Amino acid sequence: MRILSYGTRALLAEVSGLDQVARLHAALRRHPLPGVLELVPAARTLLIRYDRVLTDRTRLVAALGALDLRAVPPVEAETVVIPVRYQGEDLPEVARLSGLTVPQVIARHTAATYQVAFCGFAPGFAYLTGVDPALRVPRRTVPRTRVPAGAVALADEFTGVYPRESPGGWQLLGSTELTLWNPAADPPSLLTPGTAVRFRDVTADGAEP
């Protein structure tokens, strides 16, 4: 672990990858360090914001260095189920790239349990890990200038849902009407780091997402 100062009120812990970020995040959630105000995970880093009245850089660095991440189990989290209509524009392309049929793509996407690794790109956009290796397809060669809110998509090792209309380059599998970002809620994002996620196919039964 490499620990860098991030301004005067935060540290940035650099680790080897998503698994180490998840373990570090889980360890600090399970046993909070005095004075730590906020944890912000990313793909290979964890931002640790702290109160300088209650702690300091030296104490935090020492505490982080003493952690044995190999012994940290994941935090058990509530599972959020997202109903999806699998009618995305890129379903045929994902099937072609993966060597699967469209029904097989849907079956594999709904079979997995995902975990929110980190959030970014846009408010409420969660990067979900746990994608079936067969579905790890590249981003679109040409990104779209407009992806509708609720679009369910894939790119490389991640899947996710666009919480609002925005540009985007991920492969579109379907859509949901579930609200993922509500500024009036606490927390405003339905999907937060560590949350478990499953997708449910409602294409054929006519159910409302």
Side-chain angles (χ1 to χ4, degrees), residues 77-180:
E78 178 184 357
T79 299
V80 174
V81 178
I82 299 178
V84 181
R85 285 198 181 97
Y86 284 93
Q87 298 170 333
E89 295 178 44
D90 298 320
L91 259 177
E93 178 65 5
V94 171
R96 184 188 71 80
L97 291 170
S98 63
L100 302 170
T101 64
V102 167
Q104 287 172 332
V105 169
I106 296 170
R108 294 204 181 203
H109 193 250
T110 55
T113 297
Y114 304 93
Q115 185 177 46
V116 179
F118 56 93
C119 299
F121 171 65
F125 189 98
Y127 290 76
L128 309 180
T129 59
V131 174
D132 187 309
L135 298 181
R136 294 184 181 181
V137 298
R139 292 167 55 92
R140 286 172 52 86
T141 305
V142 179
R144 291 182 171 89
T145 58
R146 177 186 174 275
V147 175
V152 178
L154 276 173
D156 299 319
E157 62 184 307
F158 299 109
T159 188
V161 183
Y162 287 82
R164 61 183 184 181
E165 182 181 312
S166 68
W170 289 21
Q171 308 277 3
L172 303 186
L173 301 181
S175 63
T176 184
E177 292 182 4
L178 195 65
T179 298
L180 298 178

Side-chain angles (χ1 to χ4, degrees), residues 54-81:
L54 301 177
T55 189
D56 57 37
R57 185 186 190 282
T58 301
R59 278 183 279 183
L60 286 177
V61 169
L64 292 169
L67 292 174
D68 181 5
L69 299 183
R70 295 170 299 179
V72 178
V75 172
E76 293 185 7
E78 178 184 357
T79 299
V80 174
V81 178

